[in-house]
Amino acid sequence: MITVEQAKRLRKAGALWVPGAGDRFVVPDRDMDADVFVVSDMTVEVHDYPGGKVIGFNGTTEWALDSIEQREVIWLPREDQLRNLLGTHFQALEATPGGYTIRLTDDSTFPATDAEHAYANALLHLLNG
């Protein structure tokens, strides 16, 4: 899983998130930064309202968060989502002795200890030009 800091940089760089089942996110700045939530049709759902998307927490009696606006959470994209965001720029994922390297079609490479970090670094490169 990518770090919250990487996820914040992706959002700032313009990575767009359309929440869906299975998506991971954190709720920052509420003493829950280390808690990873997953959108699920059973417990955490996305609701469309005229003012924007709201992430609702169903059946959470342990704490007082009923829902939160999408803009208040940080999306932690999965490997497949990061690869999809790279689109036609993605050329290859290569296993290396230290982890993995993403190669883009312009022959730039992005090594990291795991594939998700490598994908995130490559996407940051593309988004930041």
Side-chain angles (χ1 to χ4, degrees):
M1 180 168 21
I2 67 171
T3 66
V4 173
E5 198 53 48
Q6 245 182 339
K8 286 179 180 180
R9 290 195 311 268
L10 284 169
R11 179 167 78 175
K12 185 176 182 182
L16 298 178
W17 177 36
V18 178
D23 287 356
R24 303 175 301 202
F25 65 94
V26 295
V27 180
D29 307 321
R30 296 192 185 195
D31 295 326
M32 300 184 331
D33 293 14
D35 297 325
V36 177
F37 296 91
V38 178
V39 176
S40 167
D41 293 335
M42 293 179 61
T43 57
V44 180
E45 295 180 293
V46 178
H47 306 282
D48 288 309
Y49 292 111
K53 293 185 183 296
V54 171
I55 298 171
F57 295 83
N58 302 321
T60 55
T61 57
E62 298 86 32
W63 43 290
L65 181 60
D66 184 42
S67 63
I68 190 168
E69 292 185 28
Q70 178 183 346
R71 64 182 163 81
E72 295 181 64
V73 303
I74 305 294
W75 174 41
L76 299 170
R78 298 182 312 268
E79 180 179 340
D80 62 306
Q81 293 170 315
L82 292 163
R83 185 175 46 250
N84 286 338
L85 289 170
L86 288 174
T88 60
H89 299 280
F90 173 73
Q91 183 175 349
L93 169 65
E94 302 165 351
T96 60
Y100 295 90
T101 297
I102 297 296
R103 181 176 307 282
L104 299 181
T105 54
D106 66 0
D107 285 328
S108 57
T109 58
F110 302 89
T113 56
D114 65 55
E116 284 184 344
H117 284 91
Y119 278 112
N121 290 335
L123 183 57
L124 281 166
H125 168 76
L126 285 178
L127 292 172
N128 290 322

